[in-house]
Amino acid sequence: MSTKKIERLIQPSGTHFVGDGFRVHNIIPGSEGLSMERMSPFIMLDYNAPYYFSPSETPRGVGVHPHRGFETVTIAYQGKVEHHDSSGGGGVIAEGDVQWMTAASGVLHKEFHEEAWSKKGGIFQMVQLWVNLPAKDKMSKPKYQALTNKNIGKVVLADQESMVEVIAGQYAGVTGAAETFTPIHLLNVKLKKGMQANFSFPAAYNTAALVLEGTVAVNGTAVPTNGFVLFENRGEDFDVEATADAVVLVLSGEPINEPIAAHGPFVMNTREELLQAFNDYNEGKFGYLED
Ligand code: MN
């Protein structure tokens, strides 16, 4: 085994609003060197860094829209999101929870701040990750995994306070809560200052880390808050040491080496499949969801 070195350290730049409820840095594919192909199976990563939303009687968010060909993974750090989709799935994701929605053949959904939370307002912090599906699974049945924090396996580290939450994949013998179509490790790492965690993933897996809180050193290199670390596809092992109390999202997945044809809410393999997706959507084949 050898060290997996940092290929690129990215400090996300501008933000934009998704609907009126999510103020995000688009890190994948919006950053230099982080194309969908390079990061596969992670084809999109939006990060809503901590941001204050004033109280609102009308919940802010994104109205009814479709998805086809991939999965949306929403990780709530602060604030609450309410979700509904045309396959009947829905629920509230609160701090520490994860929603893993397999859009696959197609769903309509809407994503809003939860009503009571919206009325109070507060600091909102969230990640939305899109995970691609291999061609053979793109038209499979939609599904919905609501992963509440208590159902997410945790590896408690030596200080008894730091931990690795295993959202998907494995860490130190603990298996993740989410079922995935291709091999993926998705870990939420909470480290007290001075604590360290070690990671090992196959060299070929596309691997990255996002520092959500605090500061860390990755293989000894300082990474600030909001820093995004892309690793080389060589070597397996790296370590993360907290230089202040820190929360780090670590992602590693086997690339899906298939062509990508993406436009807006649809991610397919060919242009013909994209056109089909638009046609099916226009013909109402994604079902119905009330505004
Ligand atoms: Mn969506």
Side-chain angles (χ1 to χ4, degrees), residues 65 67 109 111 128:
H65 59 279
H67 291 296
H109 80 160
E111 301 155 279
Q128 189 168 88

Side-chain angles (χ1 to χ4, degrees), residues 36 82 107 111 150-151 157 176 256 274 276 281:
M36 290 184 171
E82 194 166 339
V107 295
E111 301 155 279
K150 71 172 173 20
N151 293 319
L157 304 182
I256 299 169
L274 266 188
Q276 187 68 51
Y281 172 58

